[in-house]
Amino acid sequence: MDTTNAMNATDPARPALSAQDTDERLIRELVARSQEAQTDPEVLPALHTSDLVLINLAGRRVFGREAFSSAMTAALASPLKDVRTTLEVDDIRFVRPDVAVVSLTKTVHDERPGTQGPSDFPARGAMTYVMTRDEDADWHIALAQTTPIA
């Protein structure tokens, strides 16, 4: 149970968090969990909706959580396992109380052995998540799309 509002309500110096503030905090936590789980093909797909759409930095589209899990497992069995990313939330906009568009900057860290000089991956990408909140008040990623930044 989230006790943030209850604690703030007892301290008159701290205003209670609004529902939107709470959702923004939960969304930021989900983004952090997705970054931490980028090498875990069991955890990361579970942070997405079952019918997710994912478009990666190279433009490959993946439809559905199962396909994402399979693609991720294959990537982690290849040299791509040494390419990791970090995410920075730039903006969160609520389309409805249960739908948010999250703008992020993705930074690519190509740590493949033997890679010298510039990577064949763009160093940064403009990433967009569309997140939905389910009936249990949990947020999930429904769409993840990355556009390379030149």
Side-chain angles (χ1 to χ4, degrees):
M1 176 180 163
D2 183 4
T3 59
T4 305
N5 283 333
M7 288 188 299
N8 287 346
T10 61
D11 182 354
R14 295 178 75 187
L17 292 175
S18 70
Q20 184 170 321
D21 289 338
T22 299
D23 284 331
E24 284 188 21
R25 179 181 54 80
L26 293 171
I27 286 169
R28 289 177 186 279
E29 288 172 1
L30 177 57
V31 169
R33 284 196 323 269
S34 73
Q35 179 178 302
E36 291 166 7
Q38 66 184 289
T39 59
D40 192 331
E42 291 184 22
V43 173
L44 185 59
L47 301 177
H48 294 72
T49 61
S50 63
D51 59 350
L52 83 104
V53 176
L54 182 141
I55 303 104
N56 72 8
L57 197 59
R60 178 179 177 198
R61 291 180 192 240
V62 177
F63 299 97
R65 187 185 297 145
E66 288 183 31
F68 176 39
S69 182
S70 295
M72 187 177 174
T73 298
L76 290 171
S78 78
L80 292 176
K81 74 182 180 320
D82 295 315
V83 178
R84 61 180 188 81
T85 61
T86 53
L87 301 172
E88 179 182 340
V89 175
D90 299 317
D91 186 65
I92 300 172
R93 304 216 174 207
F94 291 91
V95 178
R96 298 187 328 218
D98 61 340
V99 178
V101 177
V102 183
S103 298
L104 308 112
T105 298
K106 175 187 267 190
T107 303
V108 178
H109 308 276
D110 189 349
E111 299 166 348
R112 293 176 289 174
T115 301
Q116 297 177 11
S119 171
D120 51 348
F121 292 102
R124 293 181 349 126
M127 183 170 208
T128 302
Y129 280 163
V130 174
M131 294 189 180
T132 58
R133 185 175 52 203
D134 62 22
E135 59 278 351
D136 293 327
D138 293 327
W139 286 93
H140 291 89
I141 303 163
L143 171 107
Q145 192 274 327
T146 307
T147 302
I149 297 174

Coordinates of all heavy atoms in Angstrom, one line a residue, residues 44-115:
L44 N 11.9 -7.9 -18.0 CA 11.6 -6.8 -18.9 C 10.3 -6.9 -19.6 O 9.4 -6.1 -19.6 CB 12.7 -6.4 -19.8 CG 12.5 -5.2 -20.7 CD1 12.3 -4.0 -19.8 CD2 13.7 -5.0 -21.6
P45 N 10.0 -8.1 -20.3 CA 8.8 -8.2 -21.0 C 7.5 -8.1 -20.1 O 6.5 -7.6 -20.5 CB 8.8 -9.6 -21.6 CG 10.3 -9.8 -21.8 CD 10.9 -9.2 -20.6
A46 N 7.7 -8.5 -18.8 CA 6.5 -8.4 -17.9 C 6.2 -7.0 -17.6 O 5.1 -6.7 -17.1 CB 6.9 -9.2 -16.6
L47 N 7.1 -6.1 -17.8 CA 6.8 -4.6 -17.6 C 5.9 -4.0 -18.7 O 5.6 -2.9 -18.6 CB 8.1 -3.9 -17.4 CG 9.0 -4.3 -16.2 CD1 10.3 -3.5 -16.2 CD2 8.3 -4.2 -14.9
H48 N 5.7 -4.8 -19.7 CA 4.9 -4.4 -20.9 C 3.6 -5.0 -21.0 O 3.3 -6.1 -20.3 CB 5.7 -4.8 -22.2 CG 7.0 -4.0 -22.3 ND1 8.1 -4.3 -21.5 CD2 7.4 -3.0 -23.1 CE1 9.1 -3.5 -21.9 NE2 8.7 -2.7 -22.9
T49 N 2.7 -4.5 -21.7 CA 1.4 -5.1 -21.9 C 1.5 -6.3 -22.8 O 2.5 -6.4 -23.5 CB 0.4 -4.1 -22.6 OG1 0.9 -3.8 -23.9 CG2 0.1 -2.9 -21.8
S50 N 0.6 -7.2 -22.7 CA 0.7 -8.5 -23.5 C 0.6 -8.2 -25.0 O 1.2 -8.9 -25.8 CB -0.4 -9.4 -23.1 OG -1.7 -8.9 -23.4
D51 N 0.0 -7.1 -25.4 CA -0.1 -6.7 -26.9 C 0.8 -5.6 -27.3 O 0.5 -4.9 -28.2 CB -1.6 -6.5 -27.2 CG -2.2 -5.3 -26.4 OD1 -1.5 -4.9 -25.5 OD2 -3.3 -4.9 -26.7
L52 N 1.9 -5.4 -26.6 CA 2.8 -4.3 -26.8 C 3.2 -4.2 -28.3 O 3.2 -5.2 -29.0 CB 4.0 -4.4 -25.9 CG 5.2 -5.3 -26.4 CD1 6.3 -4.5 -27.0 CD2 5.6 -6.2 -25.3
V53 N 3.6 -3.0 -28.7 CA 4.3 -2.8 -30.0 C 5.6 -2.1 -29.6 O 5.7 -1.2 -28.9 CB 3.5 -1.9 -30.9 CG1 4.2 -1.6 -32.2 CG2 2.1 -2.5 -31.2
L54 N 6.7 -2.7 -30.2 CA 8.0 -2.2 -29.9 C 8.7 -1.9 -31.2 O 8.7 -2.8 -32.1 CB 8.8 -3.2 -29.1 CG 10.2 -2.8 -28.7 CD1 10.5 -3.3 -27.2 CD2 11.3 -3.3 -29.6
I55 N 9.3 -0.7 -31.4 CA 10.1 -0.4 -32.6 C 11.4 0.0 -32.0 O 11.6 1.0 -31.3 CB 9.5 0.7 -33.4 CG1 8.0 0.4 -33.9 CG2 10.3 1.0 -34.7 CD1 7.0 1.1 -33.1
N56 N 12.5 -0.8 -32.4 CA 13.8 -0.6 -31.8 C 14.5 0.5 -32.6 O 14.1 1.0 -33.6 CB 14.6 -1.9 -31.6 CG 15.0 -2.5 -32.9 OD1 15.0 -1.9 -34.0 ND2 15.6 -3.7 -32.8
L57 N 15.8 0.8 -32.1 CA 16.6 1.8 -32.7 C 16.9 1.5 -34.2 O 17.1 2.5 -35.0 CB 17.9 1.9 -31.9 CG 18.8 3.1 -32.0 CD1 18.1 4.3 -31.6 CD2 20.0 2.9 -31.2
A58 N 16.9 0.3 -34.6 CA 17.2 -0.1 -36.0 C 15.9 -0.1 -36.8 O 15.9 -0.4 -38.0 CB 17.9 -1.4 -36.0
G59 N 14.7 0.1 -36.2 CA 13.5 0.1 -37.0 C 12.8 -1.2 -37.0 O 11.7 -1.3 -37.6
R60 N 13.3 -2.2 -36.3 CA 12.6 -3.5 -36.3 C 11.4 -3.4 -35.4 O 11.4 -2.9 -34.3 CB 13.5 -4.6 -35.7 CG 12.9 -5.9 -35.6 CD 13.8 -7.0 -35.1 NE 13.1 -8.2 -34.9 CZ 13.5 -9.2 -34.2 NH1 14.7 -9.1 -33.6 NH2 12.8 -10.3 -34.1
R61 N 10.2 -3.9 -35.9 CA 9.0 -3.9 -35.1 C 8.8 -5.3 -34.5 O 9.0 -6.3 -35.2 CB 7.8 -3.6 -36.0 CG 7.8 -2.2 -36.5 CD 6.6 -2.0 -37.4 NE 6.7 -0.7 -38.1 CZ 5.8 0.2 -37.9 NH1 4.7 0.1 -37.2 NH2 6.0 1.4 -38.6
V62 N 8.3 -5.3 -33.3 CA 8.0 -6.5 -32.6 C 6.6 -6.3 -32.0 O 6.3 -5.3 -31.4 CB 9.0 -6.8 -31.4 CG1 8.7 -8.0 -30.7 CG2 10.5 -6.9 -32.0
F63 N 5.8 -7.3 -32.2 CA 4.4 -7.3 -31.8 C 4.1 -8.3 -30.7 O 4.3 -9.5 -31.0 CB 3.4 -7.5 -32.9 CG 3.6 -6.4 -34.0 CD1 4.4 -6.7 -35.1 CD2 3.0 -5.2 -33.9 CE1 4.5 -5.7 -36.1 CE2 3.1 -4.2 -34.9 CZ 3.9 -4.5 -36.0
G64 N 3.8 -7.9 -29.5 CA 3.4 -8.8 -28.4 C 4.5 -9.1 -27.5 O 5.7 -9.1 -27.9
R65 N 4.1 -9.5 -26.3 CA 5.1 -9.7 -25.2 C 5.9 -11.0 -25.5 O 7.1 -11.1 -25.3 CB 4.4 -9.9 -23.9 CG 5.3 -10.0 -22.7 CD 4.6 -10.3 -21.4 NE 3.7 -9.2 -21.0 CZ 2.6 -9.4 -20.4 NH1 2.1 -10.6 -20.1 NH2 1.9 -8.3 -20.0
E66 N 5.2 -12.0 -26.1 CA 6.0 -13.3 -26.3 C 7.0 -13.1 -27.4 O 8.2 -13.6 -27.3 CB 5.0 -14.4 -26.8 CG 4.2 -14.9 -25.6 CD 3.3 -16.1 -26.0 OE1 3.6 -16.8 -26.9 OE2 2.2 -16.2 -25.4
A67 N 6.7 -12.3 -28.5 CA 7.7 -12.1 -29.5 C 8.8 -11.2 -29.0 O 10.0 -11.4 -29.3 CB 7.0 -11.4 -30.7
F68 N 8.5 -10.3 -28.1 CA 9.5 -9.4 -27.5 C 10.5 -10.3 -26.6 O 11.7 -10.2 -26.7 CB 8.9 -8.3 -26.6 CG 9.8 -7.5 -25.9 CD1 11.0 -7.1 -26.4 CD2 9.5 -7.1 -24.6 CE1 11.9 -6.2 -25.7 CE2 10.4 -6.3 -23.9 CZ 11.6 -5.9 -24.4
S69 N 9.9 -11.2 -25.8 CA 10.7 -12.1 -25.0 C 11.7 -12.9 -25.9 O 12.8 -13.1 -25.6 CB 9.8 -12.9 -24.1 OG 10.6 -13.7 -23.3
S70 N 11.1 -13.5 -27.0 CA 11.9 -14.3 -27.9 C 13.1 -13.4 -28.5 O 14.2 -13.9 -28.6 CB 11.1 -14.9 -29.0 OG 10.2 -15.8 -28.4
A71 N 12.7 -12.2 -29.0 CA 13.7 -11.4 -29.6 C 14.8 -11.0 -28.6 O 16.0 -10.9 -29.0 CB 13.0 -10.1 -30.2
M72 N 14.4 -10.7 -27.4 CA 15.3 -10.3 -26.4 C 16.2 -11.5 -26.0 O 17.5 -11.3 -25.9 CB 14.5 -9.8 -25.2 CG 15.4 -9.2 -24.1 SD 14.4 -8.6 -22.7 CE 15.7 -8.2 -21.6
T73 N 15.7 -12.7 -25.9 CA 16.5 -13.8 -25.6 C 17.6 -14.0 -26.7 O 18.7 -14.3 -26.4 CB 15.6 -15.1 -25.4 OG1 14.7 -14.8 -24.3 CG2 16.4 -16.3 -25.2
A74 N 17.1 -13.9 -28.0 CA 18.1 -14.1 -29.1 C 19.2 -13.0 -29.1 O 20.3 -13.3 -29.3 CB 17.3 -14.0 -30.4
A75 N 18.8 -11.8 -28.8 CA 19.8 -10.7 -28.7 C 20.8 -10.9 -27.6 O 22.0 -10.6 -27.8 CB 19.0 -9.3 -28.6
L76 N 20.3 -11.4 -26.5 CA 21.2 -11.6 -25.4 C 22.1 -12.8 -25.6 O 23.1 -12.9 -24.9 CB 20.4 -11.8 -24.1 CG 19.7 -10.5 -23.6 CD1 18.8 -10.8 -22.4 CD2 20.8 -9.5 -23.2
A77 N 21.8 -13.6 -26.6 CA 22.7 -14.7 -26.9 C 23.7 -14.3 -28.0 O 24.4 -15.2 -28.5 CB 21.9 -15.9 -27.4
S78 N 23.7 -13.1 -28.4 CA 24.5 -12.6 -29.5 C 25.4 -11.5 -28.9 O 25.4 -11.1 -27.7 CB 23.7 -12.0 -30.6 OG 23.2 -10.7 -30.3
P79 N 26.3 -10.9 -29.8 CA 27.1 -9.8 -29.3 C 26.3 -8.6 -28.8 O 26.9 -7.7 -28.1 CB 28.0 -9.4 -30.5 CG 28.1 -10.7 -31.3 CD 26.7 -11.4 -31.1
L80 N 25.1 -8.5 -29.1 CA 24.2 -7.4 -28.7 C 24.1 -7.4 -27.1 O 23.7 -6.4 -26.6 CB 22.8 -7.5 -29.3 CG 22.8 -7.2 -30.8 CD1 21.4 -7.4 -31.4 CD2 23.3 -5.8 -31.1
K81 N 24.4 -8.5 -26.5 CA 24.4 -8.6 -25.0 C 25.3 -7.5 -24.4 O 25.1 -7.1 -23.3 CB 24.7 -10.0 -24.5 CG 26.2 -10.3 -24.6 CD 26.4 -11.7 -24.1 CE 27.9 -12.1 -24.2 NZ 28.7 -11.7 -25.3
D82 N 26.3 -7.0 -25.2 CA 27.2 -6.0 -24.7 C 26.8 -4.6 -25.1 O 27.7 -3.7 -25.0 CB 28.6 -6.4 -25.1 CG 29.1 -7.7 -24.5 OD1 28.9 -7.9 -23.3 OD2 29.6 -8.5 -25.3
V83 N 25.6 -4.4 -25.6 CA 25.1 -3.1 -25.9 C 24.0 -2.8 -24.9 O 23.0 -3.5 -24.9 CB 24.6 -3.0 -27.3 CG1 24.0 -1.6 -27.6 CG2 25.7 -3.4 -28.4
R84 N 24.3 -1.8 -24.0 CA 23.2 -1.5 -23.1 C 22.8 0.0 -23.3 O 23.5 0.7 -24.0 CB 23.7 -1.8 -21.6 CG 24.9 -1.0 -21.2 CD 25.4 -1.3 -19.8 NE 26.4 -0.3 -19.5 CZ 26.2 1.0 -19.1 NH1 25.0 1.4 -19.0 NH2 27.2 1.8 -18.9
T85 N 21.7 0.3 -22.6 CA 21.2 1.7 -22.8 C 20.9 2.3 -21.4 O 20.6 1.5 -20.5 CB 20.0 1.7 -23.7 OG1 18.9 0.9 -23.1 CG2 20.3 1.2 -25.1
T86 N 20.9 3.6 -21.4 CA 20.4 4.3 -20.2 C 19.3 5.2 -20.7 O 19.3 5.7 -21.8 CB 21.5 5.1 -19.5 OG1 22.1 6.0 -20.4 CG2 22.5 4.2 -18.9
L87 N 18.3 5.5 -19.8 CA 17.1 6.2 -20.2 C 17.0 7.4 -19.2 O 17.2 7.3 -18.0 CB 15.9 5.4 -20.0 CG 15.8 4.1 -20.9 CD1 14.6 3.3 -20.5 CD2 15.8 4.5 -22.3
E88 N 16.6 8.6 -19.8 CA 16.3 9.8 -19.0 C 15.0 10.3 -19.4 O 14.7 10.5 -20.6 CB 17.4 10.8 -19.4 CG 17.2 12.1 -18.6 CD 18.2 13.2 -19.0 OE1 19.3 12.9 -19.5 OE2 17.9 14.4 -18.8
V89 N 14.1 10.4 -18.5 CA 12.7 10.9 -18.7 C 12.8 12.4 -19.0 O 13.3 13.2 -18.1 CB 11.8 10.6 -17.5 CG1 10.4 11.2 -17.7 CG2 11.7 9.1 -17.3
D90 N 12.3 12.8 -20.1 CA 12.3 14.2 -20.5 C 10.9 14.9 -20.2 O 10.8 16.0 -19.8 CB 12.6 14.4 -22.0 CG 14.0 13.9 -22.3 OD1 14.9 14.1 -21.6 OD2 14.1 13.2 -23.4
D91 N 9.8 14.1 -20.3 CA 8.5 14.7 -20.2 C 7.5 13.5 -20.0 O 7.7 12.4 -20.6 CB 8.1 15.4 -21.5 CG 6.8 16.2 -21.4 OD1 6.8 17.1 -20.5 OD2 5.9 15.9 -22.1
I92 N 6.5 13.8 -19.2 CA 5.3 12.9 -19.1 C 4.1 13.7 -19.3 O 3.9 14.7 -18.7 CB 5.3 12.2 -17.6 CG1 6.6 11.5 -17.4 CG2 4.1 11.3 -17.5 CD1 6.8 11.0 -15.9
R93 N 3.2 13.2 -20.2 CA 2.0 13.8 -20.5 C 0.9 12.8 -20.4 O 1.0 11.7 -20.9 CB 2.0 14.4 -21.9 CG 3.1 15.3 -22.1 CD 2.8 16.5 -22.9 NE 4.0 17.3 -22.9 CZ 3.9 18.6 -23.1 NH1 2.7 19.1 -23.3 NH2 5.0 19.3 -23.1
F94 N -0.2 13.1 -19.7 CA -1.3 12.2 -19.5 C -2.4 12.5 -20.6 O -2.9 13.6 -20.7 CB -1.9 12.4 -18.1 CG -1.0 11.8 -17.1 CD1 -0.1 12.7 -16.5 CD2 -1.0 10.5 -16.8 CE1 0.8 12.2 -15.5 CE2 -0.1 10.0 -15.8 CZ 0.8 10.8 -15.2
V95 N -2.7 11.5 -21.5 CA -3.7 11.6 -22.5 C -5.1 11.5 -21.8 O -6.0 12.1 -22.1 CB -3.5 10.6 -23.6 CG1 -4.6 10.6 -24.6 CG2 -2.1 10.7 -24.2
R96 N -5.1 10.5 -20.9 CA -6.2 10.3 -20.0 C -5.6 9.9 -18.7 O -4.4 9.6 -18.6 CB -7.1 9.1 -20.5 CG -7.7 9.3 -21.9 CD -8.6 8.2 -22.3 NE -8.2 6.8 -21.8 CZ -8.4 5.7 -22.4 NH1 -8.9 5.7 -23.6 NH2 -8.0 4.6 -21.9
P97 N -6.4 9.8 -17.6 CA -5.8 9.4 -16.3 C -5.1 8.0 -16.3 O -4.2 7.8 -15.5 CB -7.0 9.4 -15.4 CG -8.0 10.3 -16.0 CD -7.8 10.1 -17.5
D98 N -5.5 7.2 -17.3 CA -4.9 5.8 -17.4 C -4.0 5.6 -18.6 O -3.6 4.5 -18.9 CB -6.0 4.8 -17.3 CG -6.9 4.9 -18.5 OD1 -7.0 5.9 -19.2 OD2 -7.6 3.9 -18.8
V99 N -3.6 6.7 -19.3 CA -2.8 6.6 -20.4 C -1.8 7.8 -20.4 O -2.2 8.9 -20.3 CB -3.5 6.7 -21.8 CG1 -2.6 6.6 -23.0 CG2 -4.5 5.5 -21.9
A100 N -0.5 7.5 -20.5 CA 0.6 8.5 -20.5 C 1.5 8.3 -21.7 O 1.8 7.2 -22.0 CB 1.3 8.4 -19.2
V101 N 1.9 9.4 -22.2 CA 3.0 9.4 -23.2 C 4.2 10.0 -22.5 O 4.2 11.1 -22.0 CB 2.6 10.4 -24.4 CG1 3.7 10.4 -25.4 CG2 1.3 9.9 -25.1
V102 N 5.3 9.1 -22.6 CA 6.5 9.5 -21.9 C 7.6 9.7 -22.9 O 7.9 8.8 -23.7 CB 6.9 8.3 -20.9 CG1 8.2 8.7 -20.1 CG2 5.7 8.0 -20.0
S103 N 8.2 10.8 -22.9 CA 9.3 11.2 -23.8 C 10.6 11.0 -23.1 O 10.8 11.5 -21.9 CB 9.2 12.6 -24.3 OG 8.0 12.8 -25.0
L104 N 11.5 10.2 -23.7 CA 12.8 9.9 -23.0 C 14.0 10.1 -24.0 O 13.8 10.2 -25.2 CB 12.8 8.4 -22.6 CG 11.7 7.9 -21.8 CD1 10.8 6.9 -22.7 CD2 12.1 7.2 -20.6
T105 N 15.1 10.3 -23.4 CA 16.4 10.2 -24.2 C 17.1 8.9 -23.9 O 17.3 8.6 -22.7 CB 17.3 11.4 -23.9 OG1 16.6 12.6 -24.3 CG2 18.6 11.4 -24.7
K106 N 17.4 8.2 -24.9 CA 18.1 6.9 -24.7 C 19.5 7.1 -25.1 O 19.8 7.6 -26.2 CB 17.4 5.8 -25.6 CG 18.2 4.5 -25.6 CD 17.6 3.5 -26.6 CE 16.6 2.7 -25.9 NZ 16.1 1.5 -26.8
T107 N 20.4 6.7 -24.3 CA 21.9 6.8 -24.6 C 22.4 5.3 -24.7 O 22.1 4.5 -23.9 CB 22.6 7.5 -23.5 OG1 22.1 8.8 -23.3 CG2 24.1 7.6 -23.8
V108 N 23.0 5.1 -25.8 CA 23.5 3.7 -26.2 C 25.0 3.6 -25.8 O 25.8 4.5 -26.1 CB 23.4 3.4 -27.7 CG1 23.9 2.0 -28.0 CG2 21.9 3.6 -28.1
H109 N 25.3 2.5 -25.0 CA 26.7 2.2 -24.6 C 27.1 0.9 -25.3 O 26.7 -0.2 -24.8 CB 26.7 2.1 -23.1 CG 26.1 3.3 -22.4 ND1 26.8 4.5 -22.1 CD2 24.9 3.5 -21.9 CE1 26.0 5.3 -21.5 NE2 24.8 4.8 -21.4
D110 N 27.8 1.0 -26.3 CA 28.3 -0.2 -27.1 C 29.6 -0.7 -26.5 O 30.6 -0.1 -26.7 CB 28.5 0.2 -28.6 CG 28.7 -1.0 -29.4 OD1 29.0 -2.1 -28.9 OD2 28.6 -0.9 -30.7
E111 N 29.5 -1.7 -25.7 CA 30.6 -2.3 -25.0 C 31.0 -3.7 -25.5 O 31.6 -4.5 -24.8 CB 30.3 -2.4 -23.5 CG 30.0 -1.0 -22.9 CD 29.3 -1.1 -21.6 OE1 28.9 -2.1 -21.1 OE2 29.2 0.0 -20.9
R112 N 30.7 -3.9 -26.8 CA 31.1 -5.2 -27.4 C 32.6 -5.3 -27.5 O 33.3 -4.3 -27.9 CB 30.5 -5.3 -28.8 CG 29.0 -5.4 -28.8 CD 28.4 -5.5 -30.2 NE 28.5 -4.1 -30.8 CZ 28.2 -3.9 -32.0 NH1 27.8 -4.8 -32.8 NH2 28.4 -2.6 -32.5
P113 N 33.2 -6.4 -27.1 CA 34.6 -6.6 -27.2 C 35.1 -6.4 -28.7 O 34.4 -6.8 -29.6 CB 34.9 -8.0 -26.8 CG 33.6 -8.4 -26.0 CD 32.5 -7.6 -26.6
G114 N 36.2 -5.8 -28.9 CA 36.8 -5.6 -30.2 C 36.2 -4.4 -31.0 O 36.6 -4.1 -32.1
T115 N 35.2 -3.8 -30.4 CA 34.6 -2.6 -31.1 C 35.6 -1.4 -30.9 O 35.8 -1.0 -29.8 CB 33.2 -2.3 -30.6 OG1 32.4 -3.4 -30.7 CG2 32.6 -1.1 -31.3

